[in-house]
């Protein structure tokens, strides 16, 4: 593993690929700056080691001209400057003379941030397609490359893999190293009992994760909408609950071959996701939509979790966007926060829910990468890490 700690940074122009793909509201204000905070360790290390720091990141997807107005990194540069208590020079360009002049004028410890790398996608997907001309250009701006963007490590883009293959020296930053170290507590000989919690919307997105984890876990507790595809596969009435038809056969086969899957035994139901009322049922009727795990299921799940030595959690256990259906997820998060166990969370929505509920500090690790964390758990090699 090429750790940043092996790099000679003094007087060097260091390009750091960070993950500043943060959520913005309609007024273009940052609603969660966790990813910016998580980048500070690497940037501060480069400042202390007297490097010149050039930051690259993407922000959302850029598909049409109007995205240029709503996907600028300018707000992120401002927030970073507040957090790091140093000036951050934002250049609203991804290439050109303005970029080159700003970099040539840098002193040790200075920070320059370029515009959203995906602005280059407007012109033939140059960033996402790992265009070599673009990758070589970005690489030519610095002496050393550091990849600290875990959230995009499962993609080979010009701003990560592209730069790394066109520059002399590449290293991994502290955030990427921390992610690998913690997620490997799940993939490499997890301490037993090892309990997995799976929830969220679609089974389909998680098939690879389930196939890999079913071999390693003692039990997989299934909640969220995902549980209803399994319950339907068992022949139960799931009413109007969300079902992932494409994965039915997979669920039926899995239920035949393992007894590690623990499914909900009661449900909080409403008439739709926007429901203002709820009730608890053990069996669903035709007009019911299952939107949270019921109180008996919460106790059942806790009985498996209480003696665990490792927990991996992906997917909210209910439709948490509607407050009246977040209790199951909250109760389980609170229960885990008081356990003496290794607790790892992966998945964009799951991480956001647990952070917003205020339990993040009590977990061993909350991954900053949604798709990337799941691909690592699936056992795939991530191109952004193999640089
Ligand atoms: P992650 O991003 O953590 O991998 P997913 O994207 O798979 O998680 O799932 C999150 C989504 O699943 C959320 O929008 C949540 O509301 C939804 N969800 C969870 N339980 C239910 C349910 N019972 N019915 C409908 N949607 C649900
Ligand atoms: Mg999601």
């Amino acid at each position: 593993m090429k750790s940043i700690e092996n790099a000679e940074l003094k007087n060097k122009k260091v390009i750091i690929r960070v993950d500043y793909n943060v959520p913005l509201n309609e007024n273009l204000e940052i609603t969660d700056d966790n990813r910016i905070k998580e980048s500070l360790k690497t940037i501060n290390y480069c400042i202390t080691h007297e490097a010149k720091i050039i930051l690259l990141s993407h922000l959302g997807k850029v598909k049409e001209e109007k995205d240029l107005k709503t996907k600028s990194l300018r707000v992120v540069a401002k927030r970073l400057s507040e957090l790091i208590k140093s000036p951050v020079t934002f250049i609203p360009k991804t290439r050109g003379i303005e970029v080159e002049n700003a970099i040539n004028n840098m002193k040790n410890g200075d920070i320059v941030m370029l515009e959203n790398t995906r602005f280059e996608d407007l012109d033939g997907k140059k960033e996402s397609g790992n265009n070599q001309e673009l990758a070589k250009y970005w690489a030519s701006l610095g002496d050393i490359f550091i990849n600290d963007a875990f959230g995009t490590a499962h993609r080979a883009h010009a701003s990560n893999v592209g730069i790394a293959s066109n520059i002399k020296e590449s290293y991994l930053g502290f955030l990427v190293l921390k992610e690998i170290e913690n997620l490997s507590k799940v993939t490499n000989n997890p301490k037993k009992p090892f309990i997995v919690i799976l929830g969220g919307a679609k089974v389909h997105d998680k098939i690879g994760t389930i196939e890999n984890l079913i071999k390693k876990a003692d039990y997989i507790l299934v909640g969220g909408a995902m549980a209803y595809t399994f319950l339907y596969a068992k022949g139960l009435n799931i009413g109007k609950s969300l079902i992932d038809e494409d994965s039915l056969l997979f669920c039926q086969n899995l239920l035949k071959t393992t007894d590690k899957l623990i499914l909900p035994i009661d449900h909080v139901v409403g008439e739709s996701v926007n429901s203002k009322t709820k009730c608890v049922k053990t069996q669903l009727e035709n007009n019911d939509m299952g939107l949270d795990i019921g109180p008996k299921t919460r106790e059942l799940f806790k009985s498996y979790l209480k003696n665990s030595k490792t927990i991996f959690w992906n997917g909210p256990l209910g439709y948490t966007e509607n407050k009246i259906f977040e209790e199951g997820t909250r109760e389980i998060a609170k229960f885990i926060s008081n356990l003496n166990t290794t607790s790892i969370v992966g998945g964009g929505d799951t991480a956001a829910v647990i952070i917003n509920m205020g339990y993040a500090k009590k977990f061993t690790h909350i991954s900053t990468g949604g798709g990337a964390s799941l691909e690592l758990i699936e056992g795939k090699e991530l191109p952004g890490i193999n640089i």
Side-chain angles (χ1 to χ4, degrees), residues 52-103:
K52 303 175 175 86
I53 298 148
I54 304 157
L55 299 176
L56 286 178
S57 176
H58 79 284
L59 175 60
K61 292 197 169 108
V62 178
K63 291 182 175 157
E64 39 192 5
E65 206 72 29
K66 73 175 189 341
D67 293 331
L68 300 179
K69 287 220 167 62
T70 56
K71 304 281 168 64
S72 172
L73 277 174
R74 189 182 289 278
V75 283
V76 174
K78 186 163 171 277
R79 185 82 191 104
L80 171 64
S81 172
E82 288 159 8
L83 288 168
I84 207 154
K85 300 181 184 78
S86 270
V88 174
T89 307
F90 177 69
I91 310 293
K93 292 272 168 9
T94 50
R95 58 167 105 196
I97 192 77
E98 222 180 307
V99 168
E100 292 148 31
N101 283 344
I103 292 173

Side-chain angles (χ1 to χ4, degrees), residues 230-244:
F230 280 101
L231 293 170
Y232 188 74
K234 281 182 79 165
L236 295 175
N237 185 359
I238 58 159
K240 292 190 297 186
S241 309
L242 212 65
I243 176 167
D244 180 3

Side-chain angles (χ1 to χ4, degrees), residues 140-380:
S140 75
L141 299 174
D143 307 305
I144 290 179
F145 177 60
I146 292 170
N147 189 18
D148 209 21
F150 183 71
T152 34
H154 58 318
R155 303 274 182 252
H157 290 172
S159 64
N160 57 3
V161 171
I163 298 178
S165 48
N166 286 292
I167 202 164
K168 264 201 230 113
E169 292 177 55
S170 304
Y171 300 90
L172 299 176
F174 290 112
L175 174 60
V176 167
L177 294 169
K178 181 172 87 170
E179 292 275 5
I180 298 170
E181 184 194 327
N182 280 297
L183 291 166
S184 69
K185 291 174 186 162
V186 174
T187 50
N188 292 343
N189 297 320
K191 277 192 241 140
K192 299 265 196 164
F194 171 33
I195 309 293
V196 172
I197 309 172
L198 286 181
K202 281 191 170 178
V203 181
H204 185 78
D205 301 343
K206 316 275 168 83
I207 286 181
T209 314
I210 298 173
E211 282 177 332
N212 193 28
L213 289 177
I214 199 103
K215 293 180 246 159
K216 296 179 172 152
D218 293 279
Y219 292 99
I220 299 189
L221 317 177
V222 186
M226 180 184 275
Y228 295 101
T229 306
F230 280 101
L231 293 170
Y232 188 74
K234 281 182 79 165
L236 295 175
N237 185 359
I238 58 159
K240 292 190 297 186
S241 309
L242 212 65
I243 176 167
D244 180 3
E245 300 269 0
D246 296 343
S247 305
L248 251 186
L249 204 62
F250 169 80
C251 292
Q252 277 164 342
N253 286 334
L254 197 67
L255 287 164
K256 271 189 224 148
T257 54
T258 179
D259 47 14
K260 291 182 175 180
L261 292 171
I262 310 299
L263 301 176
I265 50 173
D266 62 346
H267 313 269
V268 180
V269 304
E271 77 272 355
S272 75
V273 292
N274 300 319
S275 196
K276 292 199 166 60
T277 56
K278 60 180 177 179
C279 67
V280 175
K281 291 195 177 180
T282 43
Q283 271 172 354
L284 299 195
E285 289 163 80
N286 291 350
N287 277 330
D288 293 333
M289 189 170 200
L291 291 160
D292 195 4
I293 53 170
K296 289 202 180 102
T297 306
R298 296 172 204 170
E299 293 312 313
L300 178 71
F301 283 10
K302 288 179 200 170
S303 72
Y304 285 95
L305 294 167
K306 74 169 188 273
N307 296 318
S308 67
K309 285 278 170 285
T310 308
I311 296 170
F312 176 69
W313 185 355
N314 169 261
L317 298 174
Y319 187 81
T320 50
E321 289 91 333
N322 183 341
K323 285 265 178 273
I324 71 169
F325 299 114
E326 66 162 41
E327 283 310 312
T329 305
R330 182 184 290 280
E331 230 181 88
I332 297 299
K334 186 172 178 202
F335 186 75
I336 295 173
S337 72
N338 290 315
L339 291 178
N340 182 15
T341 181
T342 298
S343 47
I344 312 277
V345 174
D349 291 297
T350 323
V353 168
I354 292 174
I355 292 170
N356 286 337
M357 285 180 172
Y359 297 112
K361 286 209 167 65
K362 296 281 193 69
F363 280 70
T364 309
H365 181 67
I366 310 244
S367 179
T368 56
S373 63
L374 290 186
E375 289 202 16
L376 204 71
I377 298 286
E378 265 182 58
K380 288 190 184 157

Side-chain angles (χ1 to χ4, degrees), residues 28-43:
L28 303 185
E29 291 155 344
I30 299 166
T31 54
D32 175 6
D33 60 7
N34 185 47
R35 284 179 160 169
I36 308 177
K37 288 186 178 138
E38 290 283 354
S39 74
L40 297 180
K41 187 170 176 190
T42 293
I43 300 175

